Structures are given as structure tokens and as C-alpha cells.
Amino acid sequence: MPEAGENERAQELVGAAIGELVEFWGFRRIMGRIWTSLFLGEEPLSAKDLAAQLKVSVSLVSTTLNELLQWGVVRRAPRPGSRADLYEAETQLWKMLSKVLKERETFRLEAAIERLAAARAEVGPTSGKGPEAARR
């Protein structure tokens, strides 16, 4: 049976791997580390608990948790009698990934459409026929 220290080290390694992966996708590494801690944890954790576990500031964890809540990859876990907000990971990976991809792609497409509209406005109305009018 693995010792507690071995489990902690294994969790750190998984958190580092997931952190690097989400960083490659354009997110901050800490997002992956926090999600991994919540996903692998046996019970929901507070921002303070996560900060201690990951050896980072509570303010960094709180800010990141708010972002993760917006992306839908973590959620608040109701705990009667607890004053601190507790968090747990979204465990349905396909649901989580499809939401993140949809949000990111929608944002990028909307930004591209705005830039194309601005470019069209710069060109002005096209008049005439032929290849030059079509190009404009």
C-alpha cells in the first residue's frame, strides 16, 4: 500500500503534467494544477487548502478558481455548516472539454468577424463589375 508521501508526490507529478498540457492550450499552468488537485482529491477543498497543498498564495488560487468556475471546469460544493466555499472538479471530461472549446472558438470567431467588418468598412462600398470590384 502506498505511503501518504508517495501519493502526494504522484499527485504533484500528475498536476505538473496537466498544468503543462493546459499551458500548451493557452491557459495558465496553475489552472491545470488546481483542477487536478480537485479531481484527484477525496473531498471538496477550500481555496486555503488548495493554496497550502500547491504551495502558492491564496489570492492566486482564489483568482484562478473564479476563472475555472467561469469555464465550467470546477463548481462550488455545498457543505452545510461550512463557512468557507468548497470546490470540486467537473468530472465529465467530454462535457468540460466541449464547453471550453466552444467558448474559445466562439470568442475567436467573433473577434475575426469584427476585424473583417472593420476591414470592409475601410474599403468602402464597391461599385462596378469585373475582377477589380470582386477583389475589393
Side-chain angles (χ1 to χ4, degrees), residues 3-24:
E3 303 254 343
E6 292 172 337
N7 285 339
E8 288 175 17
R9 180 65 185 140
Q11 186 167 330
E12 287 175 13
L13 292 170
V14 173
I18 298 298
E20 289 174 13
L21 184 60
V22 300
E23 188 175 48
F24 174 76

Side-chain angles (χ1 to χ4, degrees), residues 6 10 18 20 31 36 58 66-67 75 86 93 109 117 130:
E6 292 172 337
I18 298 298
E20 289 174 13
M31 295 172 101
T36 300
V58 176
N66 285 329
E67 290 178 67
R75 59 184 169 261
L86 300 176
L93 295 179
L109 286 172

Side-chain angles (χ1 to χ4, degrees), residues 66-136:
N66 285 329
E67 290 178 67
L68 292 170
L69 285 166
Q70 289 176 341
W71 284 106
V73 298
V74 302
R75 59 184 169 261
R76 285 188 176 85
R79 187 62 65 122
S82 176
R83 294 184 66 193
D85 284 335
L86 300 176
Y87 301 89
E88 60 189 3
E90 171 61 62
T91 57
Q92 296 178 15
L93 295 179
W94 181 245
K95 176 183 174 183
M96 177 178 68
L97 289 174
S98 62
K99 178 176 174 35
V100 168
L101 291 173
K102 179 183 174 191
E103 294 288 329
R104 281 178 53 141
E105 298 309 314
T106 299
F107 173 77
R108 293 195 191 285
L109 286 172
E110 287 174 351
I113 289 169
E114 286 178 19
R115 287 191 299 258
L116 291 171
R120 185 174 186 176
E122 290 290 323
V123 171
T126 58
S127 60
K129 295 184 179 184
E132 182 61 27
R135 187 181 66 76
R136 286 188 65 195

